[in-house]
Amino acid sequence: MALSNISLTNTFTEQMVRLNQVIVEVNKVIEGAFLTTGNVVITGTSVTGDVLANVVGILKTSTMLLGDGAVTRPSIARFAGANVGLYFPTTNTMAFVTASNNVMYLLPDGNVSVGSTTAAAKLDIEGTFRANGRTYFGANVGIGKAAPTRALDVVGDIWATGDITMES
């Protein structure tokens, strides 16, 4: 039987669904596949918080459309930790959240911001940055200088412990 435009409008405490003018009990377990070529709409009041549907197993879809969410209520979040996840603060922007704090933004221009909501470069880090191991830069590096003109361009004092070797 093809199903289309199913609307669950009763509360889950009533556990009833109107399907093609027939009322079916929702509390029965359906094993196997639930297939439809139409729309499935679930509305109502849950008896356990705000959970309207609970899927155990794999949910497969070609496209999933989510609400924007918020920093305190991400669109994609762990059930047990709703203040950790991913949300969409503005058009074409994604934000990662931990403990209800923005920690990383993916911006429409392709820039990534860590520790801030804006990025002036492909990777913009607000705060301490640590690289443990070899680090390669394919262009000039500026310390205290936004537009370096040499391989290493430093504005300010340089302090070193140990040897400094220079070759010409």
Side-chain angles (χ1 to χ4, degrees):
M1 167 173 54
L3 304 176
S4 63
N5 299 321
I6 298 172
S7 179
L8 305 177
T9 55
N10 296 354
T11 66
F12 277 106
T13 56
E14 296 170 350
Q15 296 187 22
M16 302 300 284
V17 176
R18 181 169 292 280
L19 175 61
N20 296 328
Q21 305 299 321
V22 177
I23 296 179
V24 179
E25 293 181 23
V26 171
N27 63 353
K28 293 181 180 175
V29 176
I30 300 173
E31 296 197 18
F34 177 77
L35 303 174
T36 179
T37 56
N39 298 324
V40 177
V41 178
I42 301 173
T43 60
T45 305
S46 171
V47 293
T48 56
D50 56 359
V51 177
L52 295 178
N54 186 11
V55 177
V56 177
I58 298 171
L59 177 63
K60 181 180 178 184
T61 179
S62 60
T63 302
M64 182 178 289
L65 302 176
L66 303 169
D68 291 340
V71 67
T72 56
R73 182 93 174 159
S75 300
I76 299 173
R78 289 188 61 235
F79 181 73
N83 61 349
V84 175
L86 171 72
Y87 79 104
F88 308 95
T90 61
T91 303
N92 300 321
T93 301
M94 292 191 308
F96 291 86
V97 175
T98 59
S100 296
N101 293 306
N102 290 313
V103 292
M104 185 170 71
Y105 264 59
L106 302 174
L107 300 163
D109 57 4
N111 291 351
V112 176
S113 173
V114 178
S116 175
T117 59
T118 61
K122 287 296 174 193
L123 177 60
D124 199 330
I125 299 172
E126 181 74 29
T128 303
F129 166 75
R130 179 179 177 193
N132 190 8
R134 292 182 183 202
T135 305
Y136 172 78
F137 296 95
N140 295 341
V141 175
I143 299 176
K145 189 169 186 179
T149 57
R150 306 263 192 280
L152 179 59
D153 203 338
V154 179
V155 174
D157 296 335
I158 298 174
W159 180 72
T161 300
D163 296 334
I164 297 177
T165 305
M166 299 188 321
E167 295 180 15
S168 56

